[in-house]
Amino acid sequence: MNLQTKIIDNSGEWDGILARFPQAHPLQAWVWGAFKARWGWSAKRIIFCAGDDVLAAAQVLRRPVPYTPFGILYVPKGPVFAYENTQLQQAVVGKLEEIAKEDGVIFLKIDPDVVWGWGADEEAIEPEAAGTEMRWLLERRGWLFSDDQIQFKNTVTLDITRPEDEILAEMQSKTRYNIRYAGRKDVVVRQGTPDDFKLIYGLYAETAKRDRFLIRPEGYYLDGWTALYEAGMAVPLIAEFEGTPLGAVIIVKFNEIALYMYGASTDLERNRQPN
């Protein structure tokens, strides 16, 4: 398959193209690339076409390697295309390899948002054809699976267009109990605004200290969350008891996807199951 590439320089056009791929990940949205460009990266949005048909898209981030003329490329949760099309898989990966070679970077990292398999138990995963083929393709072409995983390896997916009672019925009884218990113990969830972002960062920093993981400076999160909020993509939710914040999440939505992207909690009132 012969593909041509084109760079898109308009935010509305780019997000309009991604709307043709309903499952496109929020990290491929224009606003995410613009945010990363304020923190040491540059962003290039590329479409892959056969004639007039746009078959794939990739927001490619580039970061220079200090004290060298080189850089690295990263496609967060992309490229975006119909992964079940194995011929297209080969063509898109081949084009990305060409782009990396022309740029002269040290390496190119991609996060194709394709399912390799389903299942809660790693020993009994049910393979998915498109993901298996994509993995074989990358291995055949000499790609290496990175030890440094930036995005989460596993995802739980829920169809939230269904009735809430139906979703709850599929959960374990203890989970349903805890969800309802929080309400009985006067935990209230409210939708936040950018005025709450400093509060959420404080909860996030407390979570990081307690669970021993590294986080970035406050300004990084305030910038990113504000940008996503102003683009209509971020929904902060804060759990409170008698006006005291106990936990928070920021949901990021794009096209048909709503993603639990950031979560935080305090040690206060944990017996009330606020999260």
Side-chain angles (χ1 to χ4, degrees), residues 81 83 89 93 110 112 114 129-138:
F81 62 94
Y83 291 110
Q89 282 186 14
V93 169
I110 63 175
V114 58
T132 301
E133 180 59 38
M134 187 76 177
R135 188 169 190 169
W136 285 346
L137 168 67
L138 293 171

Side-chain angles (χ1 to χ4, degrees), residues 220-239:
Y220 176 88
Y221 295 100
L222 298 185
D223 182 16
W225 295 342
T226 301
L228 290 168
Y229 185 91
E230 290 178 349
M233 291 174 58
V235 181
L237 301 172
I238 302 165

Side-chain angles (χ1 to χ4, degrees), residues 178-190 238-247 268-275:
N178 286 340
I179 290 171
R180 291 164 176 155
Y181 182 84
R184 292 197 300 271
K185 290 297 181 178
D186 300 319
V187 174
V188 176
V189 176
R190 66 174 176 87
I238 302 165
E240 297 179 334
F241 171 66
E242 295 182 347
T244 299
L246 304 179
L268 298 174
E269 305 287 349
R270 291 175 73 87
N271 59 307
R272 296 179 187 274
Q273 305 292 346
N275 283 61

Side-chain angles (χ1 to χ4, degrees), residues 3-218:
L3 293 179
Q4 298 82 45
T5 58
K6 178 184 176 183
I7 295 175
I8 303 298
D9 291 322
N10 179 276
S11 61
E13 183 181 2
W14 176 255
D15 286 341
I17 289 169
L18 289 187
R20 305 177 195 178
F21 304 91
Q23 301 299 310
H25 197 278
L27 298 190
Q28 282 290 296
W30 181 281
V31 66
W32 185 258
F35 156 61
K36 296 298 286 186
R38 295 191 292 273
W39 291 86
W41 297 80
S42 59
K44 185 180 292 185
R45 292 87 177 180
I46 303 172
I47 57 173
F48 303 77
C49 310
D52 294 330
D53 296 329
V54 179
L55 301 182
Q59 175 162 255
V60 182
L61 304 181
R62 188 185 194 280
R63 187 175 68 187
V65 177
Y67 310 112
T68 79
F70 305 111
I72 63 172
L73 297 182
Y74 175 43
V75 185
K77 285 300 183 179
V80 178
F81 62 94
Y83 291 110
E84 64 273 12
N85 186 332
T86 55
Q87 187 180 9
L88 185 57
Q89 282 186 14
Q90 297 182 51
V92 171
V93 169
K95 276 294 181 184
L96 286 172
E97 290 172 351
E98 290 178 15
I99 290 168
K101 288 176 182 177
E102 290 170 2
D103 196 297
V105 294
I106 295 173
F107 66 82
L108 162 66
K109 185 171 187 173
I110 63 175
D111 280 331
D113 200 27
V114 58
V115 176
W116 285 349
W118 299 94
D121 185 351
E122 196 162 340
E123 298 298 321
I125 293 237
E126 185 178 329
E128 184 82 3
T132 301
E133 180 59 38
M134 187 76 177
R135 188 169 190 169
W136 285 346
L137 168 67
L138 293 171
E139 290 176 350
R140 288 196 303 268
R141 297 180 73 99
W143 288 67
L144 301 176
F145 194 85
S146 174
D147 292 329
D148 181 18
Q149 292 299 300
I150 299 172
Q151 310 303 332
F152 290 110
K153 181 180 178 182
N154 300 310
T155 303
V156 177
T157 304
L158 286 176
D159 176 6
I160 58 173
T161 64
R162 297 180 301 155
E164 184 175 297
D165 287 345
E166 185 179 313
I167 296 173
L168 287 168
E170 294 180 352
M171 296 181 181
Q172 294 182 355
S173 59
K174 183 64 173 178
T175 304
R176 289 195 300 272
Y177 174 82
N178 286 340
I179 290 171
R180 291 164 176 155
Y181 182 84
R184 292 197 300 271
K185 290 297 181 178
D186 300 319
V187 174
V188 176
V189 176
R190 66 174 176 87
Q191 186 165 323
T193 71
D195 291 338
D196 294 300
F197 286 154
K198 279 186 173 291
L199 162 67
I200 295 174
Y201 177 80
L203 295 173
Y204 196 49
E206 182 176 340
T207 305
K209 183 177 180 180
R210 182 182 64 241
D211 295 343
R212 298 181 180 179
F213 63 86
L214 296 175
I215 62 173
R216 297 174 184 266
E218 180 183 58

